[in-house]
Amino acid sequence: MNEKAAIETLLFVAGDEGLALNEIATLLACSTQHVYQLLMELQQECEASKTRGLTLLQVGEQYQLATKKEYAEIIRSYAISPLSTNLSQAALETLAIIAYKQPLTRMEIDEIRGVQTSGSLQKLTIRGLIEEKGRVDGPGRAILYGTSHYFLDYFGLKKITELPALPEISDIEQDYSEKESNLFFERFNEQFS
């Protein structure tokens, strides 16, 4: 296994939360010194390459992949283009989770959705609908996400408490049960009418 490629893969999957040196060392089962050397080599390769759009950043104790500054305009163009005006179902689900449960980390969002959400989080951040609301005290110092002022403006809200109330689980189950029984009786009547 190519260790530098493994680090790049891990950092890509970790998204904007990044990984700490000791976390990478644990995952690769090698020393932090060795990982640090690999990170520095990867950073130099990224910076020296004219064919790569990503670079390696150290933010506090975390290492993360980021786009190079010279591509900021193309990213901005993408964010406001018709290609990105409609939010995907995944992004909408992620936004709803954040709106109703904020502040929360990417891992908490992933757990609720049952899938990885870093792509949706990046898109929502670029569009200004969510923002960093702080960091968790503890290992990794994960980012806490919440909605932005632009989110409130976009949805015509003065404050987050104006979001419509979510139905109770018992109401959803009862509604589903009624629909299911109505469907049964409709089919029963069709067969014996």
Side-chain angles (χ1 to χ4, degrees):
M1 169 176 69
N2 181 313
E3 291 175 318
K4 262 192 273 189
I7 290 172
E8 192 171 21
T9 301
L10 289 169
L11 292 174
F12 176 79
V13 171
D16 58 353
E17 291 185 19
L19 289 170
L21 187 64
N22 62 342
E23 292 171 325
I24 299 169
T26 300
L27 291 166
L28 293 182
C30 57
S31 72
T32 54
Q33 280 182 310
H34 182 63
V35 169
Y36 182 76
Q37 180 183 350
L38 292 171
L39 284 166
M40 293 304 101
E41 289 173 16
L42 181 60
Q43 185 177 40
Q44 288 171 356
E45 289 171 16
C46 287
E47 284 302 314
S49 175
K50 301 290 184 204
T51 61
R52 291 176 105 160
L54 299 178
T55 189
L56 179 67
L57 295 179
Q58 181 179 1
V59 181
E61 298 291 316
Q62 305 295 103
Y63 290 89
Q64 63 187 38
L65 290 176
T67 55
K68 290 183 177 178
K69 291 177 185 175
E70 56 262 33
Y71 298 105
E73 192 55 42
I74 192 80
I75 293 168
R76 194 173 297 110
S77 296
Y78 168 73
I80 62 172
S81 75
L83 297 172
S84 68
T85 52
N86 293 332
L87 290 175
S88 66
Q89 184 68 30
L92 286 171
E93 289 172 8
T94 302
L95 183 59
I97 291 166
I98 293 168
Y100 282 96
K101 298 253 185 209
Q102 63 185 306
L104 67 171
T105 66
R106 180 183 59 84
M107 295 297 277
E108 291 169 324
I109 299 165
D110 290 353
E111 191 174 309
I112 293 168
R113 282 206 66 234
V115 295
Q116 213 261 4
T117 57
S118 63
S120 294
L121 289 171
Q122 288 175 340
K123 192 168 197 172
L124 293 169
T125 302
I126 288 170
R127 300 205 52 207
L129 293 168
I130 63 170
E131 61 190 10
E132 184 178 324
K133 295 291 185 177
R135 292 197 175 250
V136 173
D137 291 331
R141 305 255 313 132
I143 296 171
L144 289 167
Y145 292 98
T147 55
S148 64
H149 290 294
Y150 178 67
F151 169 86
L152 296 174
D153 291 341
Y154 188 83
F155 288 99
L157 304 170
K158 287 186 175 62
K159 50 189 173 189
I160 201 70
T161 55
E162 292 179 351
L163 282 171
L166 292 173
E168 296 294 323
I169 295 294
S170 58
D171 294 341
I172 294 170
E173 289 172 349
Q174 181 179 358
D175 189 40
Y176 177 76
S177 177
E178 287 173 12
K179 285 180 183 175
E180 200 174 59
S181 64
N182 288 342
L183 182 62
F184 170 76
F185 285 117
E186 284 175 19
R187 289 199 177 149
F188 179 79
N189 289 334
E190 286 173 6
Q191 286 183 339
F192 296 103
S193 311

